Amino acid sequence: MKDKKDHREKPARDHAMIELRHVDKWFGEFRVLKDVSLTVKRGEKVVVCGPSGSGKSTMIRCINRLEEHQKGQILVEGIELTGDVRKIEAIRREVGMVFQQFNLFPHLTVLENLTLAPIWVRHMPKREAEDLARHYLARVRIPEQADKYPGQLSGGQQQRVAIARSLCMRPQIMLFDEPTSALDPEMIKEVLDVMTELAEEGMTMVCVTHEMGFAQRVADQMVFMDRGEIVEMAPPAEFFAAPKSERTRLFLSQILRG
Amino acid sequence: MADIAHAALVRPLPQLYRWLRANLFATPLSTALTLLVLYVLIKVVPPLVDWAIVNASLTAPNEQACAARGGACWAFIAKWYRFILFGRYPYSEQWRPAVVVLLLIMLLVASCDRRLWGRALVLLWAAGVAAVAVLMGGGVLDLPGVDTDLWNGLPLALILAVGGLALGFPLAVALALGRQSHMPGVRAFSVAYIEFFRGLPFITVLFMAAVLFPLFLPPEVSIAKLWRVEVAFILFLAAYLAEVVRGGLQAIPRGQYEAAAALGLGYWRQMRLVILPQALRIAIPPLVGTFIGGFKDTALVSIVGLFDLLQDVAVGTNDPSWRGAYIEGYAFVAAIYFVFCYAMSRYSRSLEARR
Amino acid sequence: MNASSTRRGSAWWNDERSRELLFQALIIGVVIAVLAYLGHNATVNLRRQGIVGGFGFLSHEAGFEISPALIPYTPADSYADAMLVGLLNTLLVAAIGIVFATALGLIVGLLRLSGNWLVARLALGYVELMRNTPLVLQLFVWWNLLRISAPGPRAAWQVLPGVFVSNRGVAFPVPEYDPGFRWVLAALLVAILASAALARWAGRRQARTGRPFPVLSAALALIVLLPTVVFVALGAPFHLDIPQLGAFNFKGGVTVTPEFAALVFGLVVYTAAFIGEIVRGGIQAVSRGQSEAALALGLKRRHVLRLVVLPQAVRTMIPPLTNEYLNLAKNSTLAVAIGFADYFSVANTILNQTGQAIEAMTLIAAVYLSLSLGLSLLMNLYNRRVALVER
């Protein structure tokens, strides 16, 4: 704990929460990330889009080291991600993640899903963890589902539980990896509403999503990725009105038409 | 995996180094395991190679001569392989069981071909079974008759297993449908049958066929032991196959039944045209698995006095000249079983992968 | 006919209900007829052979040796006693087999999942070899290795210090009984109870204050240390009864027959291959997303394994595992092939001596069927309890 300070480098820019510097990653022979650089400041909301297989999921999975990058640097709150297990665990405590497939633990009740990490990672008394869990369940508007099992909930409800589960760790940053892609259309809105509220409260967020309405409403920065590279990065107004790259324009025309 | 290893070997050295590093020496534990395994291999493999190849005798008058060289006595196999494979089948007629083995293998291979699934396969099997019966038994077409007691060795194993499959399978489908039926009488019968045979060790079923079965026949009727054991295989395999087929039936969504009924098809047409074709397709990999089990069970029939491969080896090693060559004999039989079972399990896995 | 059926709706034979009733009656009728026919034949045959039915023969003198016997038994005892001895032998083989096959299977399954290429390949080779050759063949190999290839007691292979393999069987040391063991045992019991209490206390404390307590290491230390301390305090009263070569055979320790050793060893190495695949499948069935989600929450690797992966893996593993245990018990009947006196082979001997085929087979079937049905009943109850709740 004492030497934690030593791991921290001076943030390159003001309040940079996440910094990727020239990150490269290969899956075997295949280069999934090519020289990716990105900075996310405190309170900033970044929306990442791009065709499937463009490396966007891989990129955000590198931020909490579910994937290992091979070249370049990734700094989260000034701590550089290396093989050091303690640093990885420290970063994961501060970074929440929401998955496309929810990944709730099917053998635990909703309440137990929410209290698992606070109890085992934050060493929180059970009563306190449950109060916290109920608080966040109310925030995502499903307080009555606490004692059910994930398998008994709808997709939208499951994803909201997953968001609440991450929030119970009181993270500094939230990563969303296509949170609405596995949902039926009528359930997308309930999840996006929760995410919008979260954004309005000032959470630092990186979202991989194709929900362009959501992006226009909350994003500070739009990022377009294709074939492992960041092709374009701009504030939404500029990004949607006047995309610089041809690839971006093509992608937007396809996705907005659909 | 083997491809990766191969690729790593033919590529330049740094790649090999990277591969070794990632696959053999990634962590201290992995390194320790690698070293331990290498140590054991160095201890075990050279003596084994010495025994099986370097000091082995391919030709020797007897086991004692082999033992003098200190290696494996493959001469036993060279001398006895025809007896192990075909047992007491008349020596000059042994081309017939050899052809039967090939026929049965071809029948199994043909069954793996998706294009033949359907009526063609049923006809093929009927023709195949008839050909096997004529060739083995003889008594027609100038072929001397051969008693079923002399159907030994590998053809015996294949006939028992393949016969069990061919006749057990239709029974299994009926039982599986019966277990799914909403008629309590039919369901109760199917459940009782399936649970009875699945609850018993196969040996007890074999003994029932060999010892008990004749008691339940009229005194003037006697059935050759081969056919009694075949019945045991059919009844036993049917129970296991039925559970596999039931698994396939349960995997078919309700909508398929409803759609078939909505088209105005009666129960049997629904099953034959819509449900079973899908259910059986799903059930094929586990069906192959069950059949492998049935084929391995053919090694048990020597216990009720049939001359299977193991019994043939026992006869060979009872010869004073060849006493002690049982390891070689068992290795030969094990290799035969392994080739059949491994090929079938690879086939079933490839089907699963394709799904 | 046509006219009447249209007038009254439909004829009775077209009614779904009555068709089903008819069909069922037909099936039941055929089954009863077949059974009656077989029963009639059996009665005729038995009368001819002069065999009196019924289980009275069980009280007759057995007249044959059984070795090993777990309870005092002589040939002068009854057939019923002989069957009990056989049943106990079956249960002994099954119990030992299940324990060792589970342990070995767990290791094999984990090795199959190892990132180490060499280890994973070797484990695969082992599994394929075991699964693709008949068990009875393997048993013959082990048995003949012991019976024929193993040396006589004088030149016995010492595979481990104090463990001797010879053509008379396998001799291994056992601890000699000492009154002090009672206290050591008592200490062990106390340690186990204390560990349980500790676990409860630690759970409560964590719920109250959130502070975790390393229960596992503490309990392990307690269970190892407390008996050891008592043991040493008593002056370490420990003597191994090590097998010594006597005139013809080993004296001291415990010697098991080649048949028993081959049967147990064969069943263990065969079943372990299947259990290994179950373990591998169970762990692989827990999707990657589960451990990723747990890791993303900041849980330590061992906590991910203990709290998320294992509870789910065990749920998928238990039913096939039970099935495999049942298979092991059923496969133990192969004892008859190598001459070990298990329940089946004792019953078979009785069958041959008395000619009471139907009764003997009924007794055999009764035991194995009640074993199978009992276990699958338990399994269904268990499944209902732990099944993941779905909508």
Side-chain angles (χ1 to χ4, degrees):
Chain A
M1 276 296 160
K2 238 186 287 165
D3 57 7
K4 201 173 185 179
K5 233 177 202 152
D6 302 343
H7 298 318
R8 300 195 178 211
E9 292 180 18
K10 266 247 169 299
R13 266 160 267 172
D14 281 344
H15 313 303
M17 295 284 276
I18 305 173
E19 225 186 321
L20 279 71
R21 296 178 188 159
H22 309 294
V23 171
D24 273 274
K25 175 170 178 57
W26 286 264
F27 281 137
E29 303 284 289
F30 181 60
R31 196 172 170 195
V32 264
L33 293 181
K34 291 178 199 162
D35 195 30
V36 169
S37 294
L38 177 72
T39 305
V40 182
K41 292 188 207 133
R42 179 174 292 280
E44 208 173 14
K45 291 110 191 95
V46 175
V47 169
V48 184
C49 60
S52 62
S54 60
K56 49 195 194 312
S57 282
T58 310
M59 182 185 76
I60 77 162
R61 286 160 61 86
C62 281
I63 296 173
N64 64 354
R65 206 164 168 101
L66 288 179
E67 303 280 358
E68 202 176 311
H69 60 285
Q70 274 110 23
K71 248 188 181 171
Q73 284 177 301
I74 299 178
L75 290 87
V76 179
E77 297 196 298
I79 306 174
E80 186 181 349
L81 274 171
T82 57
D84 187 333
V85 180
R86 295 203 150 180
K87 282 194 218 168
I88 296 173
E89 280 168 5
I91 285 171
R92 284 173 177 165
R93 282 199 288 272
E94 306 303 325
V95 180
M97 185 163 202
V98 174
F99 298 84
Q100 181 178 353
Q101 297 298 339
F102 330 136
N103 290 343
L104 293 177
F105 307 129
H107 61 301
L108 303 177
T109 62
V110 166
L111 199 64
E112 287 166 341
N113 263 280
L114 267 63
T115 56
L116 185 78
I119 289 175
W120 287 93
V121 180
R122 295 261 189 245
H123 305 321
M124 203 180 271
K126 193 174 172 200
R127 181 66 60 75
E128 204 177 304
E130 284 178 355
D131 289 344
L132 184 74
R134 288 187 196 283
H135 167 72
Y136 279 111
L137 278 180
R139 283 271 310 270
V140 300
R141 292 189 280 278
I142 35 175
E144 71 286 359
Q145 309 286 7
D147 297 317
K148 291 205 176 153
Y149 282 89
Q152 296 169 292
L153 304 184
S154 74
Q157 290 173 325
Q158 288 196 45
Q159 194 59 299
R160 285 186 280 156
V161 171
I163 295 173
R165 179 174 71 177
S166 289
L167 292 177
C168 280
M169 288 294 286
R170 299 192 189 282
Q172 302 291 314
I173 303 167
M174 285 289 285
L175 307 175
F176 291 86
D177 186 1
E178 307 210 26
T180 56
S181 302
L183 295 178
D184 292 335
E186 75 272 18
M187 294 171 182
I188 291 178
K189 186 175 175 298
E190 62 189 55
V191 172
L192 289 181
D193 286 349
V194 168
M195 288 170 65
T196 309
E197 274 178 38
L198 204 58
E200 281 162 0
E201 283 161 22
M203 173 67 76
T204 311
M205 290 164 64
V206 181
C207 313
V208 172
T209 183
H210 290 162
E211 294 297 331
M212 289 303 145
F214 168 78
Q216 273 168 322
R217 230 174 312 137
V218 307
D220 298 312
Q221 251 338 307
M222 290 297 299
V223 172
F224 174 68
M225 288 186 75
D226 192 16
R227 289 173 225 156
E229 323 175 85
I230 293 185
V231 176
E232 187 153 356
M233 203 175 344
E238 197 181 315
F239 182 83
F240 288 108
K244 283 193 227 52
S245 142
E246 183 54 39
R247 278 196 264 173
T248 316
R249 215 168 296 148
L250 187 67
F251 175 75
L252 283 177
S253 74
Q254 281 168 344
I255 202 156
L256 291 177
R257 192 177 44 200
Chain B
M1 265 305 198
D3 297 338
I4 298 172
H6 177 72
L9 288 173
V10 294
R11 259 183 228 138
L13 221 56
Q15 298 250 1
L16 173 65
Y17 173 78
R18 207 191 291 169
W19 184 88
L20 286 174
R21 181 81 220 218
N23 291 295
L24 296 181
F25 305 101
T27 60
L29 177 68
S30 179
T31 307
L33 275 174
T34 303
L35 294 178
L36 181 74
V37 168
L38 284 178
Y39 173 78
V40 172
L41 286 181
I42 287 169
K43 278 281 184 191
V44 171
V45 172
L48 203 65
V49 171
D50 279 350
W51 176 82
I53 300 167
V54 179
N55 296 330
S57 318
L58 277 178
T59 54
N62 53 40
E63 206 268 333
Q64 291 72 23
C66 296
R69 287 200 55 193
C73 195
W74 300 124
F76 170 69
I77 305 298
K79 181 98 196 307
W80 282 86
Y81 76 95
R82 281 193 52 175
F83 187 82
I84 294 174
L85 287 176
F86 304 122
R88 299 166 301 164
Y89 205 90
Y91 196 81
S92 57
E93 298 290 323
Q94 282 182 3
W95 62 270
R96 284 158 54 183
V99 171
V100 162
V101 167
L102 287 179
L103 257 176
L104 289 172
I105 292 172
M106 271 157 52
L107 218 48
L108 287 176
V109 171
S111 307
C112 296
D113 190 337
R114 292 176 162 231
R115 284 166 302 175
L116 291 177
W117 291 354
R119 186 160 302 171
L121 203 57
V122 176
L123 290 175
L124 209 63
W125 273 79
V129 168
V132 166
V134 167
L135 273 169
M136 284 308 281
V140 286
L141 302 173
D142 287 343
L143 293 172
V146 178
D147 191 78
T148 53
D149 279 351
L150 305 181
W151 301 13
N152 302 158
L154 184 58
L156 171 71
L158 282 172
I159 286 171
L160 287 175
V162 172
L165 178 70
L167 292 173
F169 185 66
L171 182 55
V173 172
L175 286 166
L177 291 176
R179 196 167 185 168
Q180 298 280 77
S181 163
H182 58 270
M183 291 183 260
V186 176
R187 203 168 54 225
F189 173 78
S190 305
V191 170
Y193 178 96
I194 292 170
E195 293 303 328
F196 177 77
F197 280 102
R198 281 167 45 94
L200 289 178
F202 184 55
I203 290 206
T204 58
V205 181
L206 273 182
F207 269 75
M208 285 181 186
V211 180
L212 223 48
F213 196 35
L215 271 181
F216 289 101
L217 292 175
E220 62 279 5
V221 178
S222 82
I223 297 179
K225 193 183 259 171
L226 172 74
W227 301 125
R228 281 185 268 142
V229 169
E230 182 73 81
V231 168
F233 268 88
I234 293 167
L235 298 181
F236 188 74
L237 262 180
Y240 280 82
L241 293 172
E243 283 299 272
V244 175
V245 173
R246 181 167 76 117
L249 285 173
Q250 281 173 336
I252 306 295
R254 270 218 73 71
Q256 292 291 316
Y257 291 87
E258 287 165 2
L263 287 173
L265 296 174
Y267 175 81
W268 293 109
R269 290 242 174 95
Q270 284 178 34
M271 290 302 135
R272 193 164 63 83
L273 300 174
V274 180
I275 305 302
L276 280 177
Q278 298 183 62
L280 294 183
R281 211 161 273 243
I282 293 170
I284 283 192
L287 280 175
V288 175
T290 308
F291 178 66
I292 293 175
F295 183 61
K296 286 198 296 179
D297 281 340
T298 59
L300 292 173
V301 297
S302 62
I303 297 173
V304 292
L306 287 183
F307 275 66
D308 70 337
L309 290 160
L310 285 176
Q311 184 61 33
D312 292 347
V313 169
V315 170
T317 51
N318 260 346
D319 183 329
S321 315
W322 299 103
R323 208 164 287 246
Y326 64 91
I327 290 278
E328 291 81 353
Y330 288 145
F332 181 60
V333 174
I336 293 174
Y337 273 105
F338 186 86
V339 167
F340 277 96
C341 296
Y342 187 69
M344 287 189 283
S345 74
R346 284 310 291 257
Y347 167 69
S348 108
R349 242 174 295 164
S350 77
L351 277 182
E352 248 167 319
R354 220 183 303 167
R355 259 220 318 273
Chain C
M1 207 185 332
N2 225 336
S4 78
S5 67
T6 39
R7 215 181 322 122
R8 281 191 290 127
S10 60
W12 68 267
W13 57 84
N14 278 334
D15 179 49
E16 203 172 34
R17 266 282 186 62
S18 34
R19 274 191 176 192
E20 283 175 0
L21 272 177
L22 196 68
F23 187 62
Q24 294 180 69
L26 199 71
I27 286 191
I28 294 169
V30 167
V31 169
I32 289 175
V34 168
L35 287 181
Y37 174 69
L38 295 177
H40 168 75
N41 286 336
T43 335
V44 171
N45 283 323
L46 289 179
R47 199 178 303 137
R48 267 194 189 192
Q49 293 172 18
I51 293 172
V52 184
F55 291 92
F57 72 97
L58 281 175
S59 58
H60 299 176
E61 187 182 311
F64 59 89
E65 285 279 357
I66 301 178
S67 161
L70 292 178
I71 52 171
Y73 169 85
T74 64
D77 288 325
S78 69
Y79 282 128
D81 291 326
M83 295 200 86
L84 182 61
V85 172
L87 183 60
L88 289 176
N89 277 348
T90 287
L91 294 178
L92 178 72
V93 167
I96 298 177
I98 284 170
V99 170
F100 282 96
T102 308
L104 185 60
L106 196 62
I107 294 171
V108 170
L110 294 177
L111 291 183
R112 282 274 274 124
L113 290 170
S114 164
N116 186 312
W117 183 84
L118 193 60
V119 169
R121 293 265 99 183
L122 269 182
L124 176 65
Y126 167 79
V127 168
E128 294 289 9
L129 188 65
M130 288 295 139
R131 293 203 309 174
N132 288 318
T133 51
L135 172 59
V136 69
L137 180 96
Q138 296 176 24
L139 287 180
F140 276 135
V141 169
W142 306 130
W143 183 44
N144 279 318
L145 271 178
L146 278 177
R147 213 169 44 123
I148 301 175
S149 299
R154 286 179 183 287
W157 295 325
Q158 192 167 358
V159 287
L160 289 169
V163 181
F164 296 93
V165 176
S166 70
N167 56 14
R168 300 296 182 84
V170 178
F172 50 87
V174 284
E176 229 166 74
Y177 179 74
D178 186 286
F181 281 172
R182 249 180 283 168
W183 296 108
V184 177
L185 225 70
L188 183 69
L189 204 68
V190 168
I192 290 172
L193 290 177
S195 300
L198 189 71
R200 270 182 75 112
W201 170 81
R204 286 228 197 95
R205 192 186 74 154
Q206 187 172 10
R208 216 174 45 242
T209 68
R211 290 213 313 270
F213 184 83
V215 183
L216 214 63
S217 352
L220 213 66
L222 203 60
I223 287 171
V224 171
L225 281 181
L226 196 61
T228 314
V229 167
V230 171
F231 180 67
V232 172
L234 287 170
F238 186 70
H239 297 283
L240 265 184
D241 186 7
I242 299 171
Q244 302 285 334
L245 190 61
F248 301 104
N249 206 343
F250 286 98
K251 290 211 172 80
V254 165
T255 304
V256 296
T257 61
E259 289 74 28
F260 180 84
L263 182 65
V264 170
F265 183 77
L267 284 173
V268 165
V269 295
Y270 180 79
T271 313
F274 289 84
I275 291 180
E277 289 302 279
I278 292 170
V279 170
R280 181 184 66 90
I283 291 176
Q284 280 182 338
V286 181
S287 76
R288 252 178 87 100
Q290 288 291 311
S291 42
E292 281 181 351
L295 285 172
L297 286 168
L299 285 164
K300 290 181 190 308
R301 261 179 192 289
R302 58 189 156 94
H303 287 154
V304 174
L305 202 65
R306 189 173 120 203
L307 300 170
V308 175
V309 178
L310 281 185
Q312 295 184 52
V314 166
R315 258 164 242 248
T316 51
M317 271 154 51
I318 294 280
L321 209 52
T322 324
N323 205 19
E324 216 42 67
Y325 291 159
L326 204 56
N327 279 342
L328 188 145
K330 287 194 276 180
N331 282 335
S332 72
T333 50
L334 294 186
V336 73
I338 60 175
F340 174 76
D342 76 328
Y343 180 72
F344 179 74
S345 66
V346 168
N348 188 41
T349 308
I350 295 174
L351 188 159
N352 287 334
Q353 282 193 7
T354 62
Q356 306 276 5
I358 296 176
E359 292 81 358
M361 277 296 169
T362 308
L363 286 171
I364 291 170
V367 161
Y368 289 102
L369 282 181
S370 39
L371 206 67
S372 302
L373 295 182
L375 209 59
S376 56
L377 212 66
L378 279 180
M379 204 41 9
N380 286 341
L381 287 178
Y382 172 85
N383 269 340
R384 209 164 299 156
R385 227 172 62 91
V386 306
L388 294 177
V389 183
E390 303 276 348
R391 245 137 116 67

